[in-house]
Amino acid sequence: MNNPFSLEGKVALITGASYGIGFAIASAMHAAGATIVFNDINQEKVDLGIKAYAEKNIKAYGYVCDVTKEDQVQAMVAKIEEEVGVIDILVNNAGIIKRIPMCEMTADQFRQVIDVDLNAPFIVSKAVIPSMIKKGHGKIINICSMMSELGRETVSAYAAAKGGLKMLTRNICSEYGEYNIQCNGIGPGYIATPQTAPLREKQPDGSMHPFDSFIRAKTPAGRWGEAEDLGGPAVFLASDASNFVNGHILYVDGGILAYIGKQPQ
């Protein structure tokens, strides 16, 4: 039997994958055989991404594109099809968060988060689906969040966007499953990235950061996730091994959503 987890011959577009979670997912897909394409908001970030991939001996194709702009996305997808090939796998990874109390957040700040985290996956998915239909298959993976299920202080816009992304995932499944297109989501838990590093630093007295202690106590695995923890789930959802998995959100969170937390001592 052929390896159902192989991505040989597939072209994978991972948005915003110059670093972090997107970079880790792209690296895992490359290891499974995929050709990697990514975008970022400006040439400087694209160049840094190309350099990072090259350091791992990965030939990646980088494009400058603002994924909230439909004309730019359509032009990028057309260019990828011409220069690399039809996109078989799309990972809607690009995203932002603004940690601002709801009553202090402006409507424009709220709209910006919704635009990047929800409108952009709609725009990019819409751009790649027609060619997927023509080709007879396609995989779309939306990077959701535990905030697709939970609320938390200061993340009203992010939670609204990620909750909407969960339902967009299910609706793409509903509309395009008959064309052999599978659309699923991955919901990362708390991942150790440069952005979360300040929350994991030891305090001057040698104790853990309060938020670090909070997350470890709330996670059955007892640790933060690593970006590489998302690679296997992403390869599964991008491969033929998941051909009858559709409209599903796979939470990669160390068990945090299943756990009520430890009883206070």
Side-chain angles (χ1 to χ4, degrees), residues 73-123:
V73 170
Q74 292 285 349
M76 177 183 69
V77 169
K79 198 170 183 182
I80 292 168
E81 290 188 356
E82 178 185 344
E83 297 178 352
V84 186
V86 172
I87 296 162
D88 301 285
I89 302 158
L90 166 64
V91 182
N92 282 309
N93 166 76
I96 62 170
I97 187 169
K98 291 184 181 293
R99 295 182 177 89
I100 304 171
M102 180 175 164
C103 288
E104 297 174 20
M105 177 175 262
T106 67
D108 283 344
Q109 288 171 325
F110 189 93
R111 289 189 191 100
Q112 184 186 8
V113 175
I114 298 295
D115 207 21
V116 177
D117 292 357
L118 180 57
N119 289 344
F122 163 77
I123 290 168

mmCIF file of all heavy atoms in Angstrom, residues 73-123:
data_model
loop_
_atom_site.group_PDB
_atom_site.id
_atom_site.type_symbol
_atom_site.label_atom_id
_atom_site.label_comp_id
_atom_site.label_asym_id
_atom_site.label_seq_id
_atom_site.Cartn_x
_atom_site.Cartn_y
_atom_site.Cartn_z
ATOM 1 N N VAL A 73 -4.759 38.643 -3.058
ATOM 2 C CA VAL A 73 -4.837 37.184 -2.883
ATOM 3 C C VAL A 73 -5.081 36.497 -4.215
ATOM 4 O O VAL A 73 -4.424 35.502 -4.556
ATOM 5 C CB VAL A 73 -5.931 36.808 -1.864
ATOM 6 C CG1 VAL A 73 -6.188 35.303 -1.869
ATOM 7 C CG2 VAL A 73 -5.535 37.274 -0.464
ATOM 8 N N GLN A 74 -6.024 37.022 -5.001
ATOM 9 C CA GLN A 74 -6.306 36.423 -6.307
ATOM 10 C C GLN A 74 -5.067 36.452 -7.198
ATOM 11 O O GLN A 74 -4.759 35.479 -7.896
ATOM 12 C CB GLN A 74 -7.465 37.171 -6.977
ATOM 13 C CG GLN A 74 -8.817 36.991 -6.292
ATOM 14 C CD GLN A 74 -9.437 35.626 -6.543
ATOM 15 O OE1 GLN A 74 -8.979 34.865 -7.395
ATOM 16 N NE2 GLN A 74 -10.496 35.302 -5.813
ATOM 17 N N ALA A 75 -4.326 37.571 -7.160
ATOM 18 C CA ALA A 75 -3.107 37.688 -7.969
ATOM 19 C C ALA A 75 -2.038 36.714 -7.487
ATOM 20 O O ALA A 75 -1.341 36.087 -8.300
ATOM 21 C CB ALA A 75 -2.588 39.119 -7.916
ATOM 22 N N MET A 76 -1.909 36.557 -6.155
ATOM 23 C CA MET A 76 -0.919 35.630 -5.615
ATOM 24 C C MET A 76 -1.241 34.195 -6.001
ATOM 25 O O MET A 76 -0.351 33.439 -6.429
ATOM 26 C CB MET A 76 -0.846 35.740 -4.091
ATOM 27 C CG MET A 76 0.126 34.737 -3.458
ATOM 28 S SD MET A 76 0.163 34.775 -1.650
ATOM 29 C CE MET A 76 -1.466 34.115 -1.237
ATOM 30 N N VAL A 77 -2.486 33.803 -5.874
ATOM 31 C CA VAL A 77 -2.865 32.429 -6.202
ATOM 32 C C VAL A 77 -2.617 32.144 -7.685
ATOM 33 O O VAL A 77 -2.105 31.075 -8.047
ATOM 34 C CB VAL A 77 -4.336 32.163 -5.812
ATOM 35 C CG1 VAL A 77 -4.836 30.845 -6.384
ATOM 36 C CG2 VAL A 77 -4.479 32.155 -4.286
ATOM 37 N N ALA A 78 -2.942 33.101 -8.536
ATOM 38 C CA ALA A 78 -2.690 32.921 -9.977
ATOM 39 C C ALA A 78 -1.198 32.775 -10.257
ATOM 40 O O ALA A 78 -0.787 31.933 -11.070
ATOM 41 C CB ALA A 78 -3.260 34.106 -10.752
ATOM 42 N N LYS A 79 -0.387 33.547 -9.544
ATOM 43 C CA LYS A 79 1.059 33.482 -9.736
ATOM 44 C C LYS A 79 1.620 32.150 -9.241
ATOM 45 O O LYS A 79 2.494 31.556 -9.864
ATOM 46 C CB LYS A 79 1.720 34.650 -9.013
ATOM 47 C CG LYS A 79 3.136 34.941 -9.469
ATOM 48 C CD LYS A 79 3.645 36.253 -8.885
ATOM 49 C CE LYS A 79 5.039 36.569 -9.417
ATOM 50 N NZ LYS A 79 5.585 37.823 -8.830
ATOM 51 N N ILE A 80 1.109 31.672 -8.101
ATOM 52 C CA ILE A 80 1.544 30.370 -7.579
ATOM 53 C C ILE A 80 1.194 29.261 -8.564
ATOM 54 O O ILE A 80 2.016 28.378 -8.845
ATOM 55 C CB ILE A 80 0.898 30.093 -6.203
ATOM 56 C CG1 ILE A 80 1.452 31.050 -5.138
ATOM 57 C CG2 ILE A 80 1.143 28.642 -5.772
ATOM 58 C CD1 ILE A 80 0.682 31.034 -3.838
ATOM 59 N N GLU A 81 -0.013 29.303 -9.113
ATOM 60 C CA GLU A 81 -0.421 28.275 -10.073
ATOM 61 C C GLU A 81 0.483 28.286 -11.305
ATOM 62 O O GLU A 81 0.820 27.231 -11.843
ATOM 63 C CB GLU A 81 -1.883 28.486 -10.468
ATOM 64 C CG GLU A 81 -2.862 28.174 -9.343
ATOM 65 C CD GLU A 81 -4.309 28.207 -9.797
ATOM 66 O OE1 GLU A 81 -4.566 28.544 -10.976
ATOM 67 O OE2 GLU A 81 -5.188 27.891 -8.976
ATOM 68 N N GLU A 82 0.903 29.491 -11.713
ATOM 69 C CA GLU A 82 1.762 29.615 -12.895
ATOM 70 C C GLU A 82 3.198 29.175 -12.605
ATOM 71 O O GLU A 82 3.825 28.489 -13.418
ATOM 72 C CB GLU A 82 1.756 31.071 -13.375
ATOM 73 C CG GLU A 82 2.655 31.342 -14.578
ATOM 74 C CD GLU A 82 2.699 32.816 -14.941
ATOM 75 O OE1 GLU A 82 1.822 33.590 -14.486
ATOM 76 O OE2 GLU A 82 3.631 33.204 -15.662
ATOM 77 N N GLU A 83 3.721 29.550 -11.421
ATOM 78 C CA GLU A 83 5.140 29.344 -11.125
ATOM 79 C C GLU A 83 5.439 28.043 -10.385
ATOM 80 O O GLU A 83 6.543 27.501 -10.511
ATOM 81 C CB GLU A 83 5.670 30.518 -10.301
ATOM 82 C CG GLU A 83 5.619 31.850 -11.044
ATOM 83 C CD GLU A 83 6.104 33.021 -10.212
ATOM 84 O OE1 GLU A 83 6.341 32.841 -8.999
ATOM 85 O OE2 GLU A 83 6.251 34.124 -10.783
ATOM 86 N N VAL A 84 4.472 27.550 -9.614
ATOM 87 C CA VAL A 84 4.714 26.362 -8.783
ATOM 88 C C VAL A 84 3.752 25.225 -9.121
ATOM 89 O O VAL A 84 4.157 24.080 -9.310
ATOM 90 C CB VAL A 84 4.604 26.709 -7.276
ATOM 91 C CG1 VAL A 84 4.999 25.492 -6.420
ATOM 92 C CG2 VAL A 84 5.472 27.917 -6.916
ATOM 93 N N GLY A 85 2.480 25.543 -9.199
ATOM 94 C CA GLY A 85 1.467 24.530 -9.487
ATOM 95 C C GLY A 85 0.182 24.838 -8.753
ATOM 96 O O GLY A 85 0.127 25.735 -7.901
ATOM 97 N N VAL A 86 -0.866 24.099 -9.078
ATOM 98 C CA VAL A 86 -2.160 24.278 -8.427
ATOM 99 C C VAL A 86 -2.037 23.909 -6.950
ATOM 100 O O VAL A 86 -1.394 22.913 -6.586
ATOM 101 C CB VAL A 86 -3.241 23.418 -9.107
ATOM 102 C CG1 VAL A 86 -4.545 23.456 -8.323
ATOM 103 C CG2 VAL A 86 -3.470 23.915 -10.534
ATOM 104 N N ILE A 87 -2.629 24.717 -6.102
ATOM 105 C CA ILE A 87 -2.551 24.503 -4.655
ATOM 106 C C ILE A 87 -3.442 23.325 -4.262
ATOM 107 O O ILE A 87 -4.662 23.346 -4.483
ATOM 108 C CB ILE A 87 -2.962 25.778 -3.905
ATOM 109 C CG1 ILE A 87 -1.954 26.895 -4.207
ATOM 110 C CG2 ILE A 87 -3.067 25.530 -2.401
ATOM 111 C CD1 ILE A 87 -2.457 28.284 -3.889
ATOM 112 N N ASP A 88 -2.816 22.299 -3.684
ATOM 113 C CA ASP A 88 -3.551 21.126 -3.195
ATOM 114 C C ASP A 88 -3.959 21.280 -1.738
ATOM 115 O O ASP A 88 -4.972 20.723 -1.308
ATOM 116 C CB ASP A 88 -2.671 19.870 -3.300
ATOM 117 C CG ASP A 88 -2.216 19.591 -4.711
ATOM 118 O OD1 ASP A 88 -3.045 19.115 -5.508
ATOM 119 O OD2 ASP A 88 -1.040 19.857 -5.026
ATOM 120 N N ILE A 89 -3.135 22.015 -0.973
ATOM 121 C CA ILE A 89 -3.313 22.151 0.469
ATOM 122 C C ILE A 89 -3.213 23.629 0.831
ATOM 123 O O ILE A 89 -2.260 24.305 0.463
ATOM 124 C CB ILE A 89 -2.213 21.378 1.232
ATOM 125 C CG1 ILE A 89 -2.215 19.900 0.862
ATOM 126 C CG2 ILE A 89 -2.354 21.572 2.746
ATOM 127 C CD1 ILE A 89 -0.894 19.204 1.135
ATOM 128 N N LEU A 90 -4.202 24.126 1.541
ATOM 129 C CA LEU A 90 -4.162 25.494 2.059
ATOM 130 C C LEU A 90 -4.223 25.441 3.578
ATOM 131 O O LEU A 90 -5.116 24.800 4.139
ATOM 132 C CB LEU A 90 -5.345 26.310 1.530
ATOM 133 C CG LEU A 90 -5.602 27.651 2.250
ATOM 134 C CD1 LEU A 90 -4.432 28.615 2.047
ATOM 135 C CD2 LEU A 90 -6.911 28.276 1.773
ATOM 136 N N VAL A 91 -3.291 26.118 4.220
ATOM 137 C CA VAL A 91 -3.346 26.294 5.676
ATOM 138 C C VAL A 91 -3.537 27.777 5.946
ATOM 139 O O VAL A 91 -2.645 28.591 5.681
ATOM 140 C CB VAL A 91 -2.065 25.785 6.372
ATOM 141 C CG1 VAL A 91 -2.209 25.941 7.891
ATOM 142 C CG2 VAL A 91 -1.795 24.333 6.009
ATOM 143 N N ASN A 92 -4.701 28.142 6.452
ATOM 144 C CA ASN A 92 -4.975 29.537 6.815
ATOM 145 C C ASN A 92 -4.407 29.785 8.213
ATOM 146 O O ASN A 92 -5.082 29.605 9.230
ATOM 147 C CB ASN A 92 -6.480 29.805 6.768
ATOM 148 C CG ASN A 92 -6.987 29.985 5.364
ATOM 149 O OD1 ASN A 92 -6.448 30.777 4.594
ATOM 150 N ND2 ASN A 92 -8.031 29.246 5.004
ATOM 151 N N ASN A 93 -3.141 30.195 8.238
ATOM 152 C CA ASN A 93 -2.405 30.341 9.490
ATOM 153 C C ASN A 93 -2.236 31.795 9.919
ATOM 154 O O ASN A 93 -2.163 32.071 11.118
ATOM 155 C CB ASN A 93 -1.021 29.689 9.322
ATOM 156 C CG ASN A 93 -0.063 30.064 10.423
ATOM 157 O OD1 ASN A 93 -0.152 29.570 11.540
ATOM 158 N ND2 ASN A 93 0.876 30.957 10.121
ATOM 159 N N ALA A 94 -2.163 32.720 8.985
ATOM 160 C CA ALA A 94 -1.911 34.125 9.325
ATOM 161 C C ALA A 94 -2.951 34.628 10.323
ATOM 162 O O ALA A 94 -4.151 34.395 10.153
ATOM 163 C CB ALA A 94 -1.924 34.985 8.065
ATOM 164 N N GLY A 95 -2.496 35.308 11.350
ATOM 165 C CA GLY A 95 -3.435 35.800 12.348
ATOM 166 C C GLY A 95 -2.794 36.811 13.283
ATOM 167 O O GLY A 95 -1.569 36.914 13.364
ATOM 168 N N ILE A 96 -3.628 37.564 13.980
ATOM 169 C CA ILE A 96 -3.159 38.526 14.975
ATOM 170 C C ILE A 96 -4.044 38.428 16.210
ATOM 171 O O ILE A 96 -5.139 37.861 16.164
ATOM 172 C CB ILE A 96 -3.167 39.975 14.444
ATOM 173 C CG1 ILE A 96 -4.598 40.410 14.074
ATOM 174 C CG2 ILE A 96 -2.221 40.137 13.271
ATOM 175 C CD1 ILE A 96 -4.706 41.898 13.763
ATOM 176 N N ILE A 97 -3.556 38.991 17.301
ATOM 177 C CA ILE A 97 -4.355 39.093 18.519
ATOM 178 C C ILE A 97 -4.084 40.454 19.148
ATOM 179 O O ILE A 97 -2.955 40.957 19.091
ATOM 180 C CB ILE A 97 -4.030 37.941 19.505
ATOM 181 C CG1 ILE A 97 -4.990 37.961 20.702
ATOM 182 C CG2 ILE A 97 -2.578 38.007 19.964
ATOM 183 C CD1 ILE A 97 -4.907 36.721 21.564
ATOM 184 N N LYS A 98 -5.101 41.066 19.688
ATOM 185 C CA LYS A 98 -4.952 42.311 20.452
ATOM 186 C C LYS A 98 -5.555 42.067 21.826
ATOM 187 O O LYS A 98 -6.755 41.823 21.936
ATOM 188 C CB LYS A 98 -5.661 43.473 19.740
ATOM 189 C CG LYS A 98 -4.999 43.904 18.446
ATOM 190 C CD LYS A 98 -5.700 45.119 17.852
ATOM 191 C CE LYS A 98 -5.058 45.548 16.537
ATOM 192 N NZ LYS A 98 -3.698 46.068 16.723
ATOM 193 N N ARG A 99 -4.714 42.098 22.843
ATOM 194 C CA ARG A 99 -5.184 41.848 24.209
ATOM 195 C C ARG A 99 -5.575 43.179 24.848
ATOM 196 O O ARG A 99 -4.759 43.853 25.466
ATOM 197 C CB ARG A 99 -4.100 41.127 25.012
ATOM 198 C CG ARG A 99 -3.801 39.733 24.491
ATOM 199 C CD ARG A 99 -2.757 39.020 25.342
ATOM 200 N NE ARG A 99 -2.532 37.657 24.883
ATOM 201 C CZ ARG A 99 -1.641 37.303 23.958
ATOM 202 N NH1 ARG A 99 -0.886 38.249 23.397
ATOM 203 N NH2 ARG A 99 -1.492 36.051 23.603
ATOM 204 N N ILE A 100 -6.832 43.545 24.641
ATOM 205 C CA ILE A 100 -7.362 44.823 25.119
ATOM 206 C C ILE A 100 -8.734 44.560 25.742
ATOM 207 O O ILE A 100 -9.575 43.904 25.120
ATOM 208 C CB ILE A 100 -7.518 45.831 23.958
ATOM 209 C CG1 ILE A 100 -6.185 46.029 23.214
ATOM 210 C CG2 ILE A 100 -8.037 47.169 24.474
ATOM 211 C CD1 ILE A 100 -6.328 46.840 21.935
ATOM 212 N N PRO A 101 -8.997 45.044 26.951
ATOM 213 C CA PRO A 101 -10.339 44.886 27.517
ATOM 214 C C PRO A 101 -11.395 45.400 26.546
ATOM 215 O O PRO A 101 -11.196 46.426 25.874
ATOM 216 C CB PRO A 101 -10.286 45.726 28.801
ATOM 217 C CG PRO A 101 -8.843 45.720 29.193
ATOM 218 C CD PRO A 101 -8.090 45.741 27.888
ATOM 219 N N MET A 102 -12.501 44.696 26.474
ATOM 220 C CA MET A 102 -13.512 44.986 25.456
ATOM 221 C C MET A 102 -13.959 46.449 25.479
ATOM 222 O O MET A 102 -14.083 47.090 24.422
ATOM 223 C CB MET A 102 -14.710 44.066 25.659
ATOM 224 C CG MET A 102 -15.832 44.269 24.662
ATOM 225 S SD MET A 102 -17.127 43.043 24.894
ATOM 226 C CE MET A 102 -18.453 43.818 23.979
ATOM 227 N N CYS A 103 -14.208 47.000 26.646
ATOM 228 C CA CYS A 103 -14.717 48.368 26.721
ATOM 229 C C CYS A 103 -13.644 49.416 26.435
ATOM 230 O O CYS A 103 -13.955 50.603 26.298
ATOM 231 C CB CYS A 103 -15.360 48.628 28.084
ATOM 232 S SG CYS A 103 -16.943 47.760 28.283
ATOM 233 N N GLU A 104 -12.389 48.979 26.332
ATOM 234 C CA GLU A 104 -11.298 49.888 25.966
ATOM 235 C C GLU A 104 -10.892 49.718 24.503
ATOM 236 O O GLU A 104 -10.095 50.503 23.978
ATOM 237 C CB GLU A 104 -10.082 49.644 26.866
ATOM 238 C CG GLU A 104 -10.358 49.936 28.338
ATOM 239 C CD GLU A 104 -9.196 49.553 29.231
ATOM 240 O OE1 GLU A 104 -8.062 49.413 28.722
ATOM 241 O OE2 GLU A 104 -9.422 49.382 30.445
ATOM 242 N N MET A 105 -11.426 48.705 23.844
ATOM 243 C CA MET A 105 -11.077 48.417 22.453
ATOM 244 C C MET A 105 -11.937 49.247 21.511
ATOM 245 O O MET A 105 -13.156 49.346 21.696
ATOM 246 C CB MET A 105 -11.271 46.928 22.172
ATOM 247 C CG MET A 105 -11.008 46.515 20.735
ATOM 248 S SD MET A 105 -11.121 44.719 20.493
ATOM 249 C CE MET A 105 -9.380 44.284 20.559
ATOM 250 N N THR A 106 -11.314 49.851 20.513
ATOM 251 C CA THR A 106 -12.078 50.613 19.533
ATOM 252 C C THR A 106 -12.698 49.661 18.512
ATOM 253 O O THR A 106 -12.239 48.530 18.324
ATOM 254 C CB THR A 106 -11.185 51.624 18.796
ATOM 255 O OG1 THR A 106 -10.240 50.901 17.985
ATOM 256 C CG2 THR A 106 -10.441 52.529 19.775
ATOM 257 N N ALA A 107 -13.714 50.149 17.839
ATOM 258 C CA ALA A 107 -14.349 49.339 16.800
ATOM 259 C C ALA A 107 -13.363 49.030 15.680
ATOM 260 O O ALA A 107 -13.386 47.935 15.101
ATOM 261 C CB ALA A 107 -15.584 50.057 16.250
ATOM 262 N N ASP A 108 -12.479 49.981 15.376
ATOM 263 C CA ASP A 108 -11.486 49.744 14.326
ATOM 264 C C ASP A 108 -10.503 48.644 14.733
ATOM 265 O O ASP A 108 -10.100 47.830 13.896
ATOM 266 C CB ASP A 108 -10.723 51.029 14.003
ATOM 267 C CG ASP A 108 -11.531 51.988 13.136
ATOM 268 O OD1 ASP A 108 -12.541 51.543 12.541
ATOM 269 O OD2 ASP A 108 -11.154 53.174 13.053
ATOM 270 N N GLN A 109 -10.109 48.613 15.998
ATOM 271 C CA GLN A 109 -9.219 47.545 16.475
ATOM 272 C C GLN A 109 -9.926 46.192 16.401
ATOM 273 O O GLN A 109 -9.322 45.186 16.007
ATOM 274 C CB GLN A 109 -8.772 47.835 17.908
ATOM 275 C CG GLN A 109 -7.791 48.981 18.024
ATOM 276 C CD GLN A 109 -7.525 49.383 19.463
ATOM 277 O OE1 GLN A 109 -8.417 49.328 20.317
ATOM 278 N NE2 GLN A 109 -6.294 49.799 19.744
ATOM 279 N N PHE A 110 -11.194 46.167 16.774
ATOM 280 C CA PHE A 110 -11.982 44.934 16.693
ATOM 281 C C PHE A 110 -12.060 44.471 15.242
ATOM 282 O O PHE A 110 -11.825 43.303 14.928
ATOM 283 C CB PHE A 110 -13.381 45.188 17.258
ATOM 284 C CG PHE A 110 -14.216 43.946 17.427
ATOM 285 C CD1 PHE A 110 -14.235 43.255 18.625
ATOM 286 C CD2 PHE A 110 -15.005 43.475 16.379
ATOM 287 C CE1 PHE A 110 -15.020 42.119 18.794
ATOM 288 C CE2 PHE A 110 -15.777 42.339 16.523
ATOM 289 C CZ PHE A 110 -15.787 41.661 17.741
ATOM 290 N N ARG A 111 -12.362 45.393 14.337
ATOM 291 C CA ARG A 111 -12.482 45.052 12.915
ATOM 292 C C ARG A 111 -11.168 44.524 12.348
ATOM 293 O O ARG A 111 -11.167 43.627 11.500
ATOM 294 C CB ARG A 111 -12.935 46.271 12.108
ATOM 295 C CG ARG A 111 -14.384 46.687 12.331
ATOM 296 C CD ARG A 111 -14.814 47.751 11.338
ATOM 297 N NE ARG A 111 -16.097 48.318 11.706
ATOM 298 C CZ ARG A 111 -16.250 49.480 12.330
ATOM 299 N NH1 ARG A 111 -15.193 50.221 12.623
ATOM 300 N NH2 ARG A 111 -17.449 49.927 12.639
ATOM 301 N N GLN A 112 -10.040 45.077 12.790
ATOM 302 C CA GLN A 112 -8.747 44.629 12.271
ATOM 303 C C GLN A 112 -8.502 43.161 12.603
ATOM 304 O O GLN A 112 -8.042 42.392 11.761
ATOM 305 C CB GLN A 112 -7.611 45.481 12.837
ATOM 306 C CG GLN A 112 -6.247 45.106 12.246
ATOM 307 C CD GLN A 112 -5.091 45.840 12.885
ATOM 308 O OE1 GLN A 112 -5.249 46.544 13.886
ATOM 309 N NE2 GLN A 112 -3.909 45.664 12.321
ATOM 310 N N VAL A 113 -8.814 42.760 13.826
ATOM 311 C CA VAL A 113 -8.636 41.361 14.226
ATOM 312 C C VAL A 113 -9.575 40.461 13.419
ATOM 313 O O VAL A 113 -9.169 39.412 12.919
ATOM 314 C CB VAL A 113 -8.859 41.188 15.741
ATOM 315 C CG1 VAL A 113 -8.781 39.708 16.127
ATOM 316 C CG2 VAL A 113 -7.834 41.990 16.528
ATOM 317 N N ILE A 114 -10.823 40.865 13.283
ATOM 318 C CA ILE A 114 -11.779 40.084 12.498
ATOM 319 C C ILE A 114 -11.311 39.976 11.045
ATOM 320 O O ILE A 114 -11.414 38.919 10.407
ATOM 321 C CB ILE A 114 -13.184 40.721 12.551
ATOM 322 C CG1 ILE A 114 -13.724 40.743 13.983
ATOM 323 C CG2 ILE A 114 -14.150 39.976 11.611
ATOM 324 C CD1 ILE A 114 -13.982 39.400 14.604
ATOM 325 N N ASP A 115 -10.760 41.067 10.524
ATOM 326 C CA ASP A 115 -10.322 41.091 9.126
ATOM 327 C C ASP A 115 -9.207 40.075 8.880
ATOM 328 O O ASP A 115 -9.249 39.315 7.902
ATOM 329 C CB ASP A 115 -9.839 42.502 8.773
ATOM 330 C CG ASP A 115 -9.978 42.821 7.293
ATOM 331 O OD1 ASP A 115 -10.786 42.150 6.612
ATOM 332 O OD2 ASP A 115 -9.297 43.734 6.815
ATOM 333 N N VAL A 116 -8.213 40.043 9.759
ATOM 334 C CA VAL A 116 -7.074 39.147 9.571
ATOM 335 C C VAL A 116 -7.424 37.705 9.934
ATOM 336 O O VAL A 116 -7.049 36.768 9.224
ATOM 337 C CB VAL A 116 -5.863 39.624 10.408
ATOM 338 C CG1 VAL A 116 -4.698 38.638 10.271
ATOM 339 C CG2 VAL A 116 -5.425 41.019 9.974
ATOM 340 N N ASP A 117 -8.146 37.519 11.024
ATOM 341 C CA ASP A 117 -8.353 36.174 11.565
ATOM 342 C C ASP A 117 -9.572 35.448 11.003
ATOM 343 O O ASP A 117 -9.663 34.224 11.122
ATOM 344 C CB ASP A 117 -8.484 36.243 13.093
ATOM 345 C CG ASP A 117 -7.185 36.644 13.770
ATOM 346 O OD1 ASP A 117 -6.174 36.816 13.068
ATOM 347 O OD2 ASP A 117 -7.178 36.790 15.007
ATOM 348 N N LEU A 118 -10.494 36.181 10.392
ATOM 349 C CA LEU A 118 -11.700 35.545 9.867
ATOM 350 C C LEU A 118 -11.956 35.885 8.395
ATOM 351 O O LEU A 118 -12.160 34.987 7.576
ATOM 352 C CB LEU A 118 -12.919 35.949 10.709
ATOM 353 C CG LEU A 118 -14.266 35.352 10.288
ATOM 354 C CD1 LEU A 118 -14.221 33.826 10.269
ATOM 355 C CD2 LEU A 118 -15.375 35.838 11.223
ATOM 356 N N ASN A 119 -11.917 37.162 8.055
ATOM 357 C CA ASN A 119 -12.153 37.526 6.650
ATOM 358 C C ASN A 119 -11.075 36.967 5.734
ATOM 359 O O ASN A 119 -11.368 36.502 4.623
ATOM 360 C CB ASN A 119 -12.227 39.049 6.495
ATOM 361 C CG ASN A 119 -13.492 39.636 7.097
ATOM 362 O OD1 ASN A 119 -14.448 38.918 7.376
ATOM 363 N ND2 ASN A 119 -13.489 40.931 7.326
ATOM 364 N N ALA A 120 -9.809 37.012 6.177
ATOM 365 C CA ALA A 120 -8.721 36.525 5.321
ATOM 366 C C ALA A 120 -8.847 35.035 5.000
ATOM 367 O O ALA A 120 -8.682 34.649 3.833
ATOM 368 C CB ALA A 120 -7.367 36.834 5.953
ATOM 369 N N PRO A 121 -9.138 34.156 5.969
ATOM 370 C CA PRO A 121 -9.343 32.749 5.602
ATOM 371 C C PRO A 121 -10.478 32.559 4.589
ATOM 372 O O PRO A 121 -10.395 31.687 3.711
ATOM 373 C CB PRO A 121 -9.679 32.083 6.939
ATOM 374 C CG PRO A 121 -8.956 32.906 7.945
ATOM 375 C CD PRO A 121 -9.077 34.322 7.438
ATOM 376 N N PHE A 122 -11.537 33.369 4.706
ATOM 377 C CA PHE A 122 -12.615 33.333 3.714
ATOM 378 C C PHE A 122 -12.074 33.724 2.336
ATOM 379 O O PHE A 122 -12.321 33.037 1.327
ATOM 380 C CB PHE A 122 -13.742 34.278 4.142
ATOM 381 C CG PHE A 122 -14.693 34.644 3.044
ATOM 382 C CD1 PHE A 122 -15.672 33.755 2.620
ATOM 383 C CD2 PHE A 122 -14.612 35.881 2.423
ATOM 384 C CE1 PHE A 122 -16.550 34.094 1.592
ATOM 385 C CE2 PHE A 122 -15.483 36.234 1.406
ATOM 386 C CZ PHE A 122 -16.452 35.332 0.985
ATOM 387 N N ILE A 123 -11.300 34.807 2.283
ATOM 388 C CA ILE A 123 -10.785 35.318 1.009
ATOM 389 C C ILE A 123 -9.834 34.322 0.355
ATOM 390 O O ILE A 123 -9.934 34.044 -0.849
ATOM 391 C CB ILE A 123 -10.088 36.680 1.236
ATOM 392 C CG1 ILE A 123 -11.127 37.757 1.574
ATOM 393 C CG2 ILE A 123 -9.277 37.087 0.008
ATOM 394 C CD1 ILE A 123 -10.525 39.063 2.101
#
